[in-house]
């Protein structure tokens, strides 16, 4: 089976910790648990306003956890400097607006190409695999490839919201866009990842797409962990991913 990698985003462990200050719940403890459960990587988003993950979280994780780190960040000079120092296994460039609650849309790789090309090249020369978080749109996939990024992460937020809202027509339309974007990315030689808003329900069709090789999931799993524990929540997600992938490949 073409196994789908699972990256766990632990930003919201930090959100809960920051609500009270101190160090509980500890992001390192969460990372160790995520590793024990068999996740393939840890994702953290170091936002400009440091609302959840902070510099020390990233430094500690990069220095002591034996699991690939995927650092999500805006394409700013400040983040470039941090990423060059830390040289994480992977970097995912995301658009960032101060007032948004979470990453709302994809990066505009097309109009940002001239700025992004050298920005990405320097990070990749430094040993990090760079992905661009983009909308499932063919022009954006082509632009990400032309910029020289090794990977793309397709924004699944619209699809997942449509599933949650029961808007099947919209869900089907966005799913077709995700499939087409994933195929083009793969044909162009890019690693194709996907993420944002994924739940036990919305993962089903996403995990079946053969060109997608990695999912990054956070908020839903940390929320589920309140009810069933992090281990059980991640295991259930892993099982659904494996089951539907296997069915789709037979
Ligand atoms: N991928 C990217 C690029 C993101 O920005 C986020 C949210 O930080 C995720 C994946 C995970 O999304 P969620 O927390 O909704 O699962």
């Amino acid at each position: 089976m073409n196994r789908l990698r699972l990256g766990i985003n632990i930003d919201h462990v930090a959100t809960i910790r920051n609500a009270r200050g101190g160090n509980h719940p500890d992001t390192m403890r969460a990372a160790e648990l995520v590793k024990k459960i068999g996740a393939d990587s840890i994702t953290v988003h170091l936002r400009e306003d440091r609302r959840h993950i902070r510099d020390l979280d990233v430094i500690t994780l990069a220095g002591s956890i034996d699991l690939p780190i995927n650092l999500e960040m805006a394409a700013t000079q400040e983040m470039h400097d941090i990423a060059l120092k830390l040289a994480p296994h992977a970097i995912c460039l995301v658009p960032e607006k101060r007032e948004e609650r979470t990453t709302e849309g994809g990066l505009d790789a097309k109009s940002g190409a001239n700025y992004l090309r050298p920005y990405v090249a320097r990070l990749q020369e430094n040993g990090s695999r760079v992905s661009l978080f983009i909308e499932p749109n063919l022009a954006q996939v082509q632009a990400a490839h032309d910029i020289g990024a090794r990977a793309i992460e397709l924004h699944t937020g619209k699809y997942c919201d449509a599933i949650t809202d029961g808007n099947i027509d919209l869900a089907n339309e966005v799913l077709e866009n995700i499939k087409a974007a994933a195929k083009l990315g793969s044909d162009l030689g890019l690693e194709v990842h996907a993420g944002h808003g994924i739940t036990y329900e919305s993962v089903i069709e996403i995990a079946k797409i053969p060109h997608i090789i990695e999912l990054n999931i956070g908020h839903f799993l940390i929320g589920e962990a309140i009810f069933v524990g992090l281990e059980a929540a991640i295991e259930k997600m892993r099982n659904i991913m494996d089951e539907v992938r296997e069915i789709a490949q037979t």
Side-chain angles (χ1 to χ4, degrees), residues 9 11-12 45 72 92 94 102-103 133 153 195-198 216-220:
N9 180 316
D11 290 350
H12 297 301
H45 184 176
E72 288 177 6
C92 181
V94 301
T102 181
T103 315
F133 186 50
E153 180 162 325
H196 210 287
I198 294 176
N216 286 299
I217 310 179
H219 182 266
F220 177 78

Side-chain angles (χ1 to χ4, degrees), residues 6-241:
L6 174 61
I8 302 294
N9 180 316
I10 59 167
D11 290 350
H12 297 301
V13 174
T15 304
I16 298 171
R17 175 198 62 194
N18 297 352
R20 282 291 170 97
N23 198 35
H24 185 77
D26 180 10
T27 49
M28 271 306 292
R29 189 171 159 201
E32 289 294 352
L33 186 58
V34 162
K35 182 184 161 213
K36 188 182 132 219
I37 300 162
D40 299 285
S41 52
I42 302 263
T43 294
V44 283
H45 184 176
L46 186 65
R47 292 186 75 100
E48 185 199 6
D49 62 8
R50 310 301 199 265
R51 72 173 71 152
H52 37 58
I53 291 295
R54 294 177 176 157
D55 300 60
L56 190 57
D57 291 309
V58 186
I59 293 166
T60 311
L61 285 166
S64 44
I65 185 98
D66 182 21
L67 206 56
I69 302 290
N70 175 33
L71 176 63
E72 288 177 6
M73 59 183 222
T76 62
Q77 191 56 52
E78 183 202 14
M79 290 299 155
H80 205 241
D81 295 343
I82 292 172
L84 286 175
K85 268 194 214 116
L86 289 174
H89 171 81
I91 292 168
C92 181
L93 296 180
V94 301
E96 207 173 284
K97 290 190 226 108
R98 219 166 229 280
E99 63 281 8
E100 70 191 356
R101 262 189 283 183
T102 181
T103 315
E104 279 167 2
L107 196 68
D108 190 346
K110 217 172 155 215
S111 59
N114 288 344
Y115 173 78
L116 289 169
R117 196 172 292 110
Y119 190 100
V120 167
R122 182 76 191 94
L123 295 172
Q124 292 190 150
E125 282 156 20
N126 196 47
S128 299
R129 179 200 67 208
V130 177
S131 72
L132 303 187
F133 186 50
I134 55 172
E135 292 294 330
N137 167 301
L138 299 184
Q140 291 295 338
V141 176
Q142 185 66 53
H145 169 263
D146 295 348
I147 283 168
R150 281 179 45 206
I152 50 172
E153 180 162 325
L154 298 174
H155 197 319
T156 52
K158 272 199 198 91
Y159 171 72
C160 296
D161 287 350
I163 290 287
T164 304
D165 297 343
N167 188 342
I168 300 307
D169 289 344
L170 179 62
N172 286 339
E173 184 189 323
V174 185
L175 185 64
E176 289 312 310
N177 295 341
I178 295 173
K179 287 181 184 170
K183 178 166 186 329
L184 177 61
S186 174
D187 288 349
L188 290 170
L190 295 163
E191 268 198 22
V192 182
H193 310 161
H196 210 287
I198 294 176
T199 63
Y200 295 145
E201 197 185 355
S202 50
V203 79
I204 294 172
E205 293 304 320
I206 302 286
K208 287 181 189 168
I209 302 172
H211 307 102
I212 295 178
I213 63 161
E214 177 178 310
L215 300 183
N216 286 299
I217 310 179
H219 182 266
F220 177 78
L221 291 175
I222 304 301
E224 275 299 289
I226 292 171
F227 305 109
V228 301
L230 191 55
E231 196 162 347
I234 295 175
E235 267 170 8
K236 182 165 174 183
M237 185 63 81
R238 177 80 259 175
N239 289 339
I240 297 172
M241 284 163 58

